[in-house]
Amino acid sequence: NAGVTQTPKFRILKIGQSMTLQCAQDMNHNYMYWYRQDPGMGLKLIYYSVGAGITDKGEVPNGYNVSRSTTEDFPLRLELAAPSQTSVYFCASSYNVNEQYFGPGTRLTVT
Amino acid sequence: GENVEQHPSTLSVQEGDSAVIKCTYSDSASNYFPWYKQELGKRPQLIIDIRSNVGEKKDQRIAVTLNKTAKHFSLHITETQPEDSAVYFCAPYGRDSNYQLIWGAGTKLIIKP
């Protein structure tokens, strides 16, 4: 099992550009999450999904969008990137609302 | 919503000594209390968790204790080793957080040789 995979590992965006961060899991988990982690800080929940076709906002959803068309994939879309979106993005999945398994992260810089 | 605080924010201990990190929460309906460890540049990983019907849980050198009345739970690491150096996060969840984990700000644990 690959667990939770994320692509890309690193990305530099110019202000106003858009991109999609990919996340996939092969553990058949219903729950999937997107977090951002700013330097020296804890994790902030952006969006989460409790199953295919169902998504909901977390604590900091502004500037992001998600979709969940399959159990395995949960992409995060950034529209009109801003410097405030410079962060490390982690995708995670869980069988229920218990242990979360994290991907390796995507380090995004917006300049 | 749920308010979560961790103390201390940084903890420096001599190798071989014990370390204790405390997490306080506000949601009296919280019923799941995990601790995650994040090494520098790595992803967070669950190291131990406890449910509200249990007061203490131990796994080798780490333990978690829960005081539901006072609304706090603590991570205990005994005989600390260099590989324990990391940031530790508590992330309780419950009704008020719509059953999502609410993450503390983290505690940086430094093990001095």
Side-chain angles (χ1 to χ4, degrees):
Chain A
N1 283 357
V4 181
T5 57
Q6 290 183 239
T7 56
K9 286 188 170 53
F10 304 93
R11 183 72 186 267
I12 299 174
L13 278 183
K14 293 192 187 311
I15 294 170
Q17 287 185 321
S18 301
M19 76 165 295
T20 299
L21 280 67
Q22 301 292 344
C23 174
Q25 51 92 11
D26 61 359
M27 297 175 281
N28 203 32
H29 286 167
N30 284 327
Y31 289 75
M32 294 189 75
Y33 312 84
W34 273 107
Y35 293 95
R36 59 175 288 172
Q37 186 176 34
D38 297 335
M41 304 292 284
L43 288 92
K44 301 284 188 187
L45 183 64
I46 305 171
Y47 271 95
Y48 66 99
S49 169
V50 300
I54 306 168
T55 62
D56 209 346
K57 294 177 180 178
E59 188 181 353
V60 290
N62 291 346
Y64 307 94
N65 271 303
V66 293
S67 59
R68 183 96 182 271
S69 56
T70 66
T71 299
E72 294 78 21
D73 300 295
F74 190 40
L76 177 72
R77 178 85 179 157
L78 278 75
E79 304 281 2
L80 298 174
S84 61
Q85 293 178 303
T86 293
S87 192
V88 178
Y89 291 83
F90 287 103
C91 178
S93 73
S94 63
Y95 175 67
N96 50 29
V97 196
N98 285 335
E99 178 175 5
Q100 294 188 7
Y101 295 83
F102 284 80
T106 294
R107 189 174 297 272
L108 176 67
T109 302
V110 182
T111 61
Chain B
E2 172 87 281
N3 187 38
V4 175
E5 292 188 1
Q6 276 183 242
H7 294 281
S9 56
T10 304
L11 179 59
S12 182
V13 301
Q14 206 69 39
E15 183 178 347
D17 288 350
S18 296
V20 181
I21 303 168
K22 185 176 178 180
C23 182
T24 60
Y25 60 94
S26 59
D27 181 5
S28 57
S30 289
N31 56 8
Y32 175 63
F33 307 93
W35 284 97
Y36 283 77
K37 175 184 180 182
Q38 187 178 29
E39 296 176 9
L40 188 63
K42 302 283 183 62
R43 72 193 82 183
Q45 289 187 298
L46 179 74
I47 54 171
I48 197 165
D49 57 9
I50 195 169
R51 299 193 183 276
S52 57
N53 58 345
V54 177
E56 181 174 357
K57 183 177 176 182
K58 216 173 172 185
D59 183 3
Q60 298 182 10
R61 294 187 299 108
I62 61 173
V64 54
T65 57
L66 172 64
N67 185 327
K68 281 217 78 178
T69 305
K71 290 191 277 188
H72 65 74
F73 62 111
S74 297
L75 175 69
H76 304 256
I77 306 174
T78 59
E79 300 171 17
T80 53
Q81 299 170 5
E83 55 264 34
D84 296 328
S85 293
V87 179
Y88 293 82
F89 294 97
C90 63
Y93 90 65
R95 180 190 59 205
D96 282 2
S97 60
N98 198 26
Y99 298 99
Q100 299 308 310
L101 299 181
I102 302 298
W103 294 75
T107 296
K108 184 174 182 178
L109 178 61
I110 300 165
I111 307 300
K112 296 182 289 186

